[in-house]
Amino acid sequence: MKLTDARIGKLDQGTIFTCARAERYRNQHVYGLVITARCDIDQAKFPVLNYIPVVTLDDWLMVDGLDIIRDRAEKEALGKIRNFLKAQSVAESVLISQTLRELLSTTFADLKKKEREKFEDLIGDYDLASSGFSMDHAGFFARFESLKSGVIDELIKHKVGGYYFLPSVYPGEARDGYVALLREATFVPRNLAMLIAEGLEQSRFEKDAALSTTNCLSFSRDDFAMPISQIPSPEIEHLLQSFSLMFGRIGLDDPDPELVSVLRQRIPNRAGVTK
């Protein structure tokens, strides 16, 4: 994707601007990606300008990405624990009445050293993923490096629901990676959007009570709200498609397993009559 320069004086669909807000990224760089329809903007028929917050990949990994990795790490560790119990001929239902640490000191009190250490490692991974950090973030990501790499790979390929990967937000910038938070679509009032299009200084924003009380912008990391780039076609359409499919998808019940079983056994003959 090759970004183009934004047009000063206008925020169009696909325009990226500075000083946006995202609820869980209060002290990080947050950019806004305009999604309001082009026709509404051209005809000035928008009371508010809708946008999607965009954050750096590094910041995303420390917040939303971290939640995804921890959830996967917890499920992976629990799956390995269940396999360990099965290998030791211990019913999985024991997890209902005993904690993992209790199992280690009771049911598995006589385990061989190697097996005991293996179970302790599994407990450590599960506790780390489910109960919070007992090490710094760097240590956490190092411990679950394969999961982190997998999440980043899926993100870049647009396979992580609710998020859209962008290589950069500035034209010609090194592709460090950014993430659009599709579930956090928000807006700025039309009058404020027009000021951002021209370039809005922090001092002017804060002096104007009518603007500052909207709480729509954040100058915590930038002191000038302005358009910086434009996402070209067809990338912007693909992003909007991902956005619309996320909210418009319909889930259906699984097929009847009996019907599936019957249909799998169908053997058509040459005359077209199914036996």
Side-chain angles (χ1 to χ4, degrees):
M1 179 177 67
K2 186 177 181 180
L3 295 174
T4 59
D5 292 322
R7 286 195 297 167
I8 299 299
K10 183 179 181 181
L11 293 178
D12 205 349
Q13 186 180 79
T15 297
I16 298 176
F17 63 91
T18 58
C19 298
R21 290 176 58 89
E23 187 62 29
R24 301 181 69 193
Y25 297 81
R26 294 295 184 90
N27 297 311
Q28 287 85 22
H29 283 288
V30 180
Y31 304 87
L33 170 57
V34 178
I35 59 173
T36 296
R38 292 188 181 96
C39 57
D40 287 344
I41 294 176
D42 290 340
Q43 299 175 27
K45 291 184 177 180
F46 62 100
V48 297
L49 189 81
N50 297 99
Y51 75 85
I52 294 171
V54 177
V55 298
T56 69
L57 175 59
D58 286 348
D59 287 338
W60 182 82
L61 281 171
M62 297 292 286
V63 183
D64 289 302
L66 182 63
D67 288 344
I68 295 172
I69 295 169
R70 286 182 60 183
D71 181 63
R72 293 186 181 186
E74 181 179 347
K75 291 178 180 178
E76 183 179 270
L78 186 57
K80 291 180 179 179
I81 288 171
R82 286 171 173 160
N83 289 336
F84 186 89
L85 294 178
K86 184 177 180 180
Q88 300 295 325
S89 300
V90 176
E92 185 180 316
S93 58
V94 73
L95 297 175
I96 299 175
S97 57
Q98 294 187 60
T99 66
L100 295 176
R101 298 290 176 185
E102 289 172 343
L103 277 176
L104 193 59
S105 60
T106 56
T107 307
F108 296 146
D110 298 326
L111 276 180
K112 294 181 179 179
K113 181 180 179 181
K114 185 176 181 179
E115 291 297 302
R116 185 179 182 85
E117 289 176 348
K118 179 180 179 181
F119 192 61
E120 287 176 340
D121 287 341
L122 292 177
I123 294 175
D125 284 348
Y126 181 79
D127 287 346
L128 181 60
S130 63
S131 303
F133 294 107
S134 59
M135 60 174 65
D136 59 23
H137 288 84
F140 177 87
F141 286 126
R143 182 121 175 211
F144 299 111
E145 173 62 30
S146 61
L147 289 177
K148 184 198 73 173
S149 297
V151 167
I152 293 177
D153 183 68
E154 291 176 28
L155 177 70
I156 294 173
K157 295 176 181 177
H158 307 303
K159 294 182 179 181
V160 180
Y163 307 99
Y164 193 96
F165 177 78
L166 298 171
S168 58
V169 296
Y170 288 94
E173 177 192 26
R175 298 188 296 175
D176 292 329
Y178 294 80
V179 184
L181 312 177
L182 301 183
R183 295 185 185 278
E184 297 189 34
T186 184
F187 66 90
V188 294
R190 177 180 168 183
N191 65 325
L192 182 54
M194 295 173 67
L195 292 174
I196 296 172
E198 297 290 344
L200 177 62
E201 293 182 352
Q202 179 179 2
S203 57
R204 180 180 178 184
F205 177 79
E206 294 176 345
K207 288 179 180 178
D208 190 330
L211 296 178
S212 59
T213 54
T214 62
N215 202 35
C216 290
L217 296 180
S218 172
F219 291 88
S220 62
R221 299 299 294 272
D222 292 293
D223 56 10
F224 201 74
M226 60 177 289
I228 57 175
S229 63
Q230 182 74 31
I231 296 180
S233 181
E235 283 81 0
I236 183 59
E237 287 80 12
H238 185 262
L239 184 150
L240 291 171
Q241 180 185 62
S242 300
F243 176 78
S244 61
L245 287 176
M246 182 182 63
F247 290 103
R249 68 186 186 276
I250 299 173
L252 299 176
D253 292 335
D254 292 334
D256 182 351
E258 293 185 7
L259 174 62
V260 173
S261 178
V262 170
L263 294 180
R264 283 175 175 171
Q265 298 177 47
R266 290 171 69 110
I267 304 176
N269 60 24
R270 293 184 177 181
V273 178
T274 302
K275 295 182 180 180

